[in-house]
Amino acid sequence: MPVKGQVNFIMLKVNVYVTLKKEILDAQGLVIKKAIKQIGYDNINEVRFGKFIQLEIDDRDKTEEDIKKEIDYLGDKLLSNPNIENYRFEMVRE
Amino acid sequence: MPFDKKPYFGILVFPGTNCETDCFHVLNNILKVRCKYIWHKESHDDDINAIIIPGGFSYGDYLRSGAVARFSPIMSFVREFASKGGLVTGICNGFQILLEENLLPGAMLRNNTLKFICRYSYLKVIDAGNPFTSGYEKGKIISMPIRHNEGNYYIDEKGLIDLKENNQIILKYCNSDGITDASSNPNGSIENIAGICNKKRNVFGLMPHPEACCEKILGSDDGRAVFESMINNII
């Protein structure tokens, strides 16, 4: 919401997706796949379970490159554990 | 005084830690050594000469177990303390925090059974040449309670070779005969690993709870030697 007296700006939303690396057995994904089969769908080849994190960023005075660097820093340091997980993100302007 | 020969344990407490009083009881009432709680917001402590990071669910296990606790002010002190050779043991959630902090290699995944496990497990002492299990005989079969949801230890191939070459694997899950195989692996951990130390051998992490089995009246005192070993090896 724009604040009175402040210049209106468009909020940047960043959607971060965290999943287990390919080589790691995804026990939760396997269980979901089994459940889908029980529902009656045989055409689901693989299910990977992951986390979705949405950040709202005030990106005034920052370039897209700056923001990407910030998200990468957070992605490696906190949002994912690089030993077992990968992450990717997309930026959405609303 | 840091590194005073007289043992003085610091037991770290984060929001959600729940095994700190058990550790305090073992150290203070059973083994008669000094200890104190250290709240996670503290950034330093001049008195202690050994650190225990107890089990529990720091920050509700949000995001990943141990991932948020890692950024508490006290953790920079733990890093500094460990780099000077101070003894640090992380139990269960404490182990997970040490992994997230990269003071120990690898990571924890959800148990491959997708179930929370709460029972006794047999363990084999793989290495006794370190300050944490020197009180056990190498190869001894002991029994300790495990209670966790994310105890499925993972490390990549190169890391595993490193662990073996440096004798960093300390404890493995096994059966009553000491066999470490898939049927005696409660959670899917690589090579049945239950406890490891760092290369410098002064930081130790284990999923079982030694503090919960230090008195015969509780069913087992197999955990006692972890604390006794630390006491005997304080620098």
Side-chain angles (χ1 to χ4, degrees):
Chain A
M1 284 290 285
V3 177
K4 204 179 169 189
Q6 241 181 21
V7 181
N8 288 353
F9 64 96
I10 305 162
M11 185 67 79
L12 177 69
K13 276 192 179 162
V14 178
N15 297 329
V16 185
Y17 304 88
V18 183
T19 46
L20 285 172
K21 285 182 176 173
K22 273 273 173 219
E23 64 267 27
I24 290 175
L25 181 82
D26 179 359
Q28 293 180 91
L30 285 176
V31 169
I32 296 166
K33 189 179 151 185
K34 267 190 202 163
I36 292 174
K37 245 191 183 155
Q38 264 167 349
I39 294 169
Y41 290 94
D42 283 329
N43 58 339
I44 310 292
N45 294 326
E46 202 188 359
V47 178
R48 301 293 288 179
F49 183 79
K51 295 166 191 162
F52 168 70
I53 303 159
Q54 190 169 65
L55 311 171
E56 269 186 26
I57 300 184
D58 177 355
D59 66 330
R60 283 171 295 185
D61 310 324
K62 290 208 168 159
T63 66
E64 200 172 297
E65 274 314 298
D66 291 338
I67 298 291
K68 279 183 179 169
K69 264 187 201 162
E70 279 179 20
I71 305 299
D72 272 329
Y73 183 78
L74 290 176
D76 289 331
K77 194 106 179 148
L78 173 69
L79 303 180
S80 81
N81 180 335
N83 291 320
I84 47 171
E85 292 168 327
N86 288 322
Y87 68 88
R88 65 180 177 83
F89 62 87
E90 63 198 14
M91 306 206 269
V92 187
R93 225 166 259 288
E94 287 183 352
Chain B
M1 270 281 288
F3 307 119
D4 181 343
K5 281 205 187 289
K6 229 175 165 189
Y8 195 168
F9 281 76
I11 302 165
L12 305 194
V13 184
F14 298 87
T17 298
N18 64 15
C19 297
E20 72 275 24
T21 46
D22 301 48
C23 294
F24 194 99
H25 168 68
V26 168
L27 290 164
N28 202 37
N29 298 332
I30 302 176
L31 300 173
K32 312 285 182 203
V33 297
R34 285 188 305 165
C35 59
K36 69 170 166 187
Y37 297 122
I38 302 176
W39 182 235
H40 72 114
K41 285 199 170 159
E42 301 292 330
S43 57
H44 198 78
D45 192 287
D46 281 331
D47 304 324
I48 58 152
N49 51 24
I51 292 177
I52 304 281
I53 311 181
F57 300 86
S58 58
Y59 293 92
D61 271 355
Y62 289 177
L63 193 58
R64 291 180 309 282
S65 312
V68 182
R70 186 196 157 186
F71 294 101
S72 282
I74 196 64
M75 288 310 291
S76 54
F77 169 67
V78 174
R79 264 196 306 277
E80 189 195 323
F81 185 84
S83 74
K84 288 180 186 162
L87 299 186
V88 180
T89 292
I91 301 165
C92 197
N93 189 229
F95 186 10
Q96 293 162 337
I97 294 170
L98 291 172
L99 291 168
E100 283 286 338
E101 179 56 49
N102 289 319
L103 280 169
L104 289 172
M108 283 299 171
L109 298 167
R110 252 187 107 170
N111 298 340
N112 65 349
T113 56
L114 294 180
K115 284 178 185 157
F116 187 95
I117 307 168
C118 184
R119 63 166 171 85
Y120 267 86
S121 173
Y122 287 106
L123 301 163
K124 191 173 192 169
V125 180
I126 304 296
D127 184 279
N130 65 78
F132 308 97
T133 53
S134 59
Y136 297 99
E137 250 171 75
K138 188 179 170 179
K140 195 178 175 187
I141 318 295
I142 54 176
S143 174
M144 284 191 205
I146 51 173
R147 31 179 205 250
H148 57 247
N149 197 40
E150 281 89 15
N152 178 357
Y153 180 73
Y154 174 82
I155 190 162
D156 63 17
E157 222 168 294
K158 195 189 152 293
L160 185 61
I161 292 168
D162 259 14
L163 280 185
K164 287 179 182 170
E165 277 179 357
N166 297 299
N167 299 317
Q168 288 171 255
I169 301 171
I170 309 291
L171 295 172
K172 282 189 179 187
Y173 301 106
C174 65
N175 63 17
S176 56
D177 297 322
I179 309 293
T180 59
D181 60 6
S183 67
S184 55
N185 188 336
N187 52 26
S189 289
I190 279 191
E191 302 228 351
N192 285 44
I193 288 174
I196 56 164
C197 71
N198 63 344
K199 260 186 200 156
K200 271 174 65 188
R201 309 182 85 68
N202 67 316
V203 179
F204 176 44
L206 75 168
M207 285 315 287
H209 286 269
E211 80 284 4
C213 53
C214 288
E215 291 164 282
K216 282 268 188 245
I217 197 171
L218 296 179
S220 163
D221 61 358
D222 282 359
R224 211 165 146 153
V226 168
F227 300 97
E228 288 170 338
S229 303
M230 283 182 83
I231 291 167
N232 292 331
N233 286 294
I234 280 171
I235 305 164

